[in-house]
Amino acid sequence: MQRLLLCLSVTLTMLCMPALADPGTVTARDGWAWRTRAGQYGSAGFVTLTSTTPARLIAASSPRVGRVEIHESFVDAQGRFGMRRLGALPLSPARPLVMRHDGIHLMLIGLRTPLAVGDRLPLTLTIDSGGLREIVSTTLVVKAL
């Protein structure tokens, strides 16, 4: 009987190990957003994403924001500043992606409430990793810059 119980406990432990061993392929850290002023309904958010496998950031959302878009700032051949929306963002295990105001960032469009310094804005990121969807939850701390 003891042998049977031991075999069952080892089998159950082995079945649970994959769930315990896989905390997810992408982690988010150092998230922050710009504060807003009266009458301002948009802002920008920034986060550092680290992936253990090739993956893509395909969407972002927040309950305090109407829509979150992935954008990239650039300077064209004439030296003019511009911004374009990106459909998805590739993530490489070779190096973290650090979002910046002069590069890739998140546009927070249609804020439901103003963002004050010190606020914490919940953010949900949807990651595609080889056809598998992963949800990463993080927080953007609001700063004044």
Side-chain angles (χ1 to χ4, degrees):
M1 181 66 144
Q2 283 184 322
R3 184 173 227 165
L4 177 62
L5 289 175
L6 178 63
C7 287
L8 282 173
S9 67
V10 168
T11 302
L12 287 173
T13 301
M14 289 175 54
L15 288 172
C16 293
M17 285 181 81
L20 296 173
D22 184 15
T25 60
V26 176
T27 56
R29 62 181 172 82
D30 303 329
W32 65 279
W34 279 329
R35 73 168 177 166
T36 57
R37 299 186 187 274
Q40 187 178 344
Y41 298 99
S43 185
F46 312 90
V47 66
T48 298
L49 300 175
T50 304
S51 182
T52 59
T53 62
R56 295 180 315 135
L57 171 63
I58 57 173
S61 64
S62 174
R64 289 182 59 188
V65 181
R67 166 172 102 244
V68 179
E69 296 179 355
I70 305 164
H71 279 218
E72 178 181 37
S73 298
F74 64 91
V75 177
D76 68 14
Q78 289 75 37
R80 294 178 297 212
F81 174 81
M83 190 170 29
R84 65 180 145 247
R85 184 176 180 186
L86 302 175
L89 188 59
L91 303 173
S92 169
R95 67 176 200 265
L97 172 78
V98 180
M99 294 186 187
R100 303 167 35 108
H101 71 280
D102 60 349
I104 293 169
H105 57 277
L106 300 171
M107 289 302 302
L108 310 174
I109 302 166
L111 293 168
R112 294 188 172 98
T113 58
L115 298 179
V117 173
D119 282 355
R120 299 179 64 79
L121 181 70
L123 183 70
T124 301
L125 306 171
T126 304
I127 308 296
D128 176 34
S129 180
L132 299 175
R133 295 284 168 99
E134 177 183 350
I135 301 299
V136 176
S137 296
T138 191
T139 302
L140 303 180
V141 177
V142 179
K143 299 180 180 183
L145 292 179

